[in-house]
Amino acid sequence: MDVLADVLASTGFTGALLAQLHSNGSQWGCDLDQGSVAGFHLIADGACWLQTANMAPIQLVSGDVVLLPRGTPHQLLGSPGTETRPYSEIAAEHPPGHRGVVDMGGDGPLVRIVCGKFQYATSTDRHPVLSVLPEVIHVPGMAADPQLQSVVRLLASEATNGQPGSRGVATRLTEVQFMLTVRNWLERAGDDGDSGPSWLTALRDPDIGAALSLMHERPQEDWTVDSLARTVAMSRPTFARRFKSTVGASPLAYLSRVRLDQAARQLRDTNDSLGTIARNVGYASEYAFSRAFTRELGVAPSRYRRTATV
């Protein structure tokens, strides 16, 4: 079971293109605040700078990807120290054409930035992937793995070529780019000592990662700490201790969240009865499932289904 893919699917995670910023100069600055919506910038051509309130400006060059998992307010600049203006003002002065290009003009080298966002259907503010990522993830093009480099080039091309279906292709590629960017970050996570315990970083632990995979693959099974420990050939105390230290939650607490996330997906995507869904995700009764769902997600399953499918 691909745990990352399963979590994203369970939360209804999707990507979307927003706009492209073009400039032929260095004297520009754009304030971006997406209201806590996760977003990304892909530098298709040229170079610019990015800064946040908690971070010194970093230079971005062609091929670089920046992911902002929690939609942190930030600025894109033609050069450090340039005065910035809200994106809404810039877009009003330079209305996007049918390809979503906001062209700020200028008479220098071209800078082209592809911007997008990510949406999800969970009923809580804390997305299980986005909430455990850093405020800003910067993957330099030269440091990215070959797959990510290829997707970045293709996304940059599809965002502007105007061919039939190009918008749809680019939209799908935003989600591929997200997973590859997270995978790239995950491979480096912990090297600088800056990542705390989470299920995502725990995937690097072969034993704990195997236990996570089993929970996602067979949530309906009557798992206990003992049975999970046996599947990965560990003693119960060692497994429980290592799971908590790497994931940041106990095995059964994590299992409960997996079951409820998968139940939410079935409520959105199927017409199965509450009793069927309860059994599918490991609850002995519809009553027990409804109580757990309401307690953790703050809304009853039937009401969640109505609002999620409107």
Side-chain angles (χ1 to χ4, degrees):
M1 171 65 70
D2 184 333
V3 176
L4 175 57
D6 185 62
V7 171
L8 292 175
S10 295
T11 58
F13 191 86
T14 57
L17 290 181
L18 289 177
Q20 294 183 60
L21 295 178
H22 286 198
S23 175
N24 286 89
S26 61
Q27 298 305 303
W28 59 273
C30 182
D31 272 312
L32 294 134
D33 185 349
Q34 297 175 203
S36 299
V37 175
F40 73 88
H41 301 300
L42 182 162
I43 313 305
D45 292 292
C48 64
W49 295 77
L50 176 138
Q51 68 181 19
T52 71
N54 301 318
M55 181 183 74
I58 58 172
Q59 187 173 34
L60 309 175
V61 299
S62 181
D64 286 12
V65 176
V66 173
L67 180 65
L68 298 112
R70 292 185 286 283
T72 302
H74 57 285
Q75 295 82 42
L76 291 174
L77 312 163
S79 58
T82 305
E83 184 177 347
T84 62
R85 300 168 59 202
Y87 169 78
S88 58
E89 290 184 11
I90 296 173
E93 287 184 12
H94 308 279
H98 69 282
R99 295 185 187 176
V101 175
V102 176
D103 193 338
M104 296 178 284
D107 56 3
L110 173 66
V111 179
R112 183 164 67 97
I113 308 167
V114 178
C115 308
K117 67 176 181 178
F118 300 103
Q119 306 165 101
Y120 53 90
T122 59
S123 62
T124 63
D125 293 332
R126 286 182 58 80
H127 187 275
V129 179
L130 301 174
S131 64
V132 299
L133 293 172
E135 232 181 33
V136 177
I137 296 177
H138 171 216
V139 181
M142 294 300 293
D145 61 43
Q147 293 93 334
L148 180 55
Q149 290 181 15
S150 297
V151 168
V152 165
R153 287 193 295 268
L154 185 56
L155 177 52
S157 173
E158 290 291 335
T160 57
N161 66 23
Q163 295 180 1
S166 60
R167 188 81 178 181
V169 171
T171 297
R172 301 299 185 275
L173 287 172
T174 62
E175 297 163 24
V176 177
Q177 177 210 260
F178 176 85
M179 285 189 278
L180 291 177
T181 300
V182 170
R183 189 168 71 184
N184 194 284
W185 171 80
L186 189 57
E187 290 171 353
R188 305 190 319 268
D191 293 344
D192 55 7
D194 196 33
S195 58
S198 74
W199 69 268
L200 190 55
T201 53
L203 294 177
R204 302 191 309 169
D205 182 311
D207 296 326
I208 302 304
L212 294 174
S213 181
L214 285 168
M215 293 186 205
H216 283 264
E217 187 174 2
R218 307 203 306 263
Q220 75 283 0
E221 192 155 329
D222 187 20
W223 293 113
T224 64
V225 178
D226 281 329
S227 63
L228 286 166
R230 285 195 299 272
T231 63
V232 294
M234 296 174 66
S235 70
R236 184 188 188 283
T238 299
F239 172 75
R241 183 172 59 252
R242 195 154 119 200
F243 193 101
K244 181 68 178 290
S245 66
T246 55
V247 176
S250 70
L252 296 186
Y254 182 84
L255 176 62
S256 176
R257 189 67 208 193
V258 170
R259 287 171 167 168
L260 295 177
D261 283 344
Q262 293 200 12
R265 181 185 184 184
Q266 293 179 43
L267 288 167
R268 294 193 308 269
D269 298 345
T270 76
N271 293 318
D272 292 345
S273 69
L274 296 188
T276 297
I277 292 174
R279 290 189 295 275
N280 288 345
V281 298
Y283 285 90
S285 68
E286 180 181 327
Y287 175 73
F289 163 63
S290 296
R291 282 193 62 189
F293 193 96
T294 304
R295 181 177 63 250
E296 294 300 321
L297 278 76
V299 60
S302 55
R303 183 175 180 185
Y304 176 87
R305 168 172 269 170
R306 289 196 301 271
T307 58
T309 55
V310 170

